Amino acid sequence: MLTVHFTHEDIARTHMAPMARLGAEALFALGHLERLGQQSRGVGRWVSHARAWVAAHPFRLLGLQRALQLRDDLLPFLLSRPAPERDAAAPEELRRALGALGEFQKACVAPYRTSIREMLDETRHCYSDMVARLGLAATLERLQCNAKWEAGTLSVDDGTDRAVRLDGQGLKLVPSAFLSGTPRLYRWPERPSDRAPADRPPVRPVPIMVFPVCPHGLASTALVKDTQRPAKPLPQLLGRTRAAVLERLTRPQSTSELSAALSISATTASEHTSVLRSSGLVSTTRNGGSVRHEVTALGALMLNSPPEPARSWCRDCAERREVGSEAKELVA
């Protein structure tokens, strides 16, 4: 059992990061392939693509296997350092593993970059909103079904037996499209390059907890290669921002949620929903002080997709996320 001890400073400094560096996602993706083994049913297009690439490049297999063996040594470099600094600081053996992993990343992860980013953005906004409405403790418990918060301590059944004190550094929460199972906590000692002058304390890397978008390992089935994404004429018709607003509203959202998700002001979000509503593409409902916008049947027809939750590929995960929304409605 992993137990993470939080002080008041740790709670204040814990934050949600957009995503892991692409190299770390590539290593998680490689582990995802390893876990699936020869499983062939319901694996999705990404797994088929990655398996085909590995089969076509058997000379890379040894390097990829070595990268998996060295994952505990590689992750501190992949999660905390940009590529130039990372490659310069890594020992020779790690550089060879990083080279093989880089080829895999370029061929099997980078072509899905847009789909991965959208999935992680949605996850980050979902959990960030949950923190704002339910608090950090309840949100951390929802990162895994068996996670439990009690008296400032988070317990996660990850198969290890260790206790971690964050010592006021807080925790960086990072979603992953390829990780499955339990969240993983990564904490490494101070690096020589991080040593500060004698008159200042050394800067330590902030501990990182990577958590899966889907603990059941189904997130990769929703990934679509950038070149295979359907053409979207709506931005030419409505304008890029207004089309993005309409697309976000396939799931009911408030004006503030739209503002945060699209990085626009609340006033701008309100103006766009007003125009879309007057055109019959969006409906708005009010429940007390809560206002929610949602695409109409006509709007869904324009999007060429039904107004259903975007993450219908995993019902259990969708239900776990919706708990926060239900709690909000009860309060309202």
Side-chain angles (χ1 to χ4, degrees):
M1 182 73 72
L2 167 67
T3 56
V4 186
H5 298 270
F6 289 76
T7 65
H8 293 300
E9 286 184 331
D10 293 319
I11 293 174
R13 291 176 178 172
T14 294
H15 62 284
M16 189 78 62
M19 65 178 290
R21 297 184 187 276
L22 211 58
E25 276 292 84
L27 188 54
F28 294 138
L30 202 56
H32 182 53
L33 280 182
E34 181 187 44
R35 284 190 298 274
L36 287 176
Q38 299 302 314
Q39 179 180 331
S40 59
R41 295 184 60 184
V43 295
R45 286 174 288 184
W46 179 84
V47 170
S48 299
H49 169 81
R51 283 175 173 170
W53 183 85
V54 172
H57 299 80
F59 57 92
R60 295 290 184 193
L61 186 57
L62 186 60
L64 295 177
Q65 290 174 340
R66 190 58 180 150
L68 284 173
Q69 293 170 356
L70 296 171
R71 73 182 83 192
D72 290 340
D73 297 315
L74 288 173
L75 279 167
F77 288 92
L78 295 169
L79 286 169
S80 63
R81 297 189 179 194
E85 179 189 348
R86 177 193 72 200
D87 295 341
E92 178 62 28
E93 185 178 28
L94 292 188
R95 282 203 297 271
R96 289 197 297 268
L98 286 168
L101 185 65
E103 292 293 325
F104 177 78
Q105 171 189 325
K106 181 178 179 180
C108 300
V109 178
Y112 296 81
R113 185 193 301 266
T114 302
S115 192
I116 292 170
R117 187 185 66 247
E118 290 178 350
M119 180 182 292
L120 298 182
D121 280 349
E122 180 173 341
T123 300
R124 179 170 60 92
H125 288 304
C126 172
Y127 281 106
S128 295
D129 182 62
M130 201 179 293
V131 170
R133 291 187 278 108
L134 303 179
L136 179 63
T139 302
L140 288 174
E141 287 185 328
R142 283 168 175 77
L143 296 182
Q144 190 218 357
C145 296
N146 295 325
K148 184 179 180 181
W149 176 279
E150 186 175 1
T153 300
L154 177 69
S155 300
V156 178
D157 187 7
D158 67 347
T160 67
D161 187 13
R162 58 176 176 146
V164 175
R165 295 186 181 277
L166 301 177
D167 298 327
Q169 290 182 274
L171 192 62
K172 182 187 293 186
L173 301 170
V174 182
S176 169
F178 294 101
L179 189 66
S180 61
T182 61
R184 315 289 169 82
L185 179 65
Y186 299 101
R187 189 183 189 188
W188 34 87
E190 171 195 344
R191 301 187 300 255
S193 60
D194 290 329
R195 295 189 183 279
D199 60 339
R200 287 187 294 173
V203 177
R204 293 174 297 169
V206 175
I208 294 176
M209 178 172 279
V210 183
F211 67 94
V213 168
C214 174
H216 314 95
L218 298 177
S220 67
T221 63
L223 298 179
V224 179
K225 192 180 294 186
D226 289 357
T227 56
Q228 296 174 338
R229 293 169 66 85
K232 296 184 177 181
L234 275 182
Q236 299 177 7
L237 177 64
L238 302 178
R240 182 179 300 176
T241 303
R242 192 165 295 164
V245 169
L246 187 63
E247 289 178 344
R248 294 291 306 186
L249 293 181
T250 53
R251 300 181 66 179
Q253 295 190 41
S254 67
T255 303
S256 60
E257 288 171 335
L258 279 173
S259 172
L262 300 175
S263 300
I264 58 178
S265 69
T267 301
T268 300
S270 180
E271 290 174 350
H272 284 305
T273 55
S274 178
V275 172
L276 292 171
R277 183 171 57 251
S278 65
S279 302
L281 303 179
V282 164
S283 64
T284 299
T285 57
R286 182 181 296 274
N287 184 3
S290 175
V291 175
R292 309 287 285 181
H293 310 287
E294 183 177 10
V295 69
T296 62
L298 177 60
L301 186 62
M302 289 192 68
L303 290 170
N304 195 31
S305 62
E308 297 178 352
R311 294 296 168 253
S312 58
W313 35 267
C314 184
R315 187 178 301 276
D316 289 343
C317 289
E319 290 177 353
R320 189 172 73 253
R321 292 184 186 183
E322 289 301 321
V323 169
S325 298
E326 292 173 4
K328 182 177 180 181
E329 293 299 325
L330 289 174
V331 172

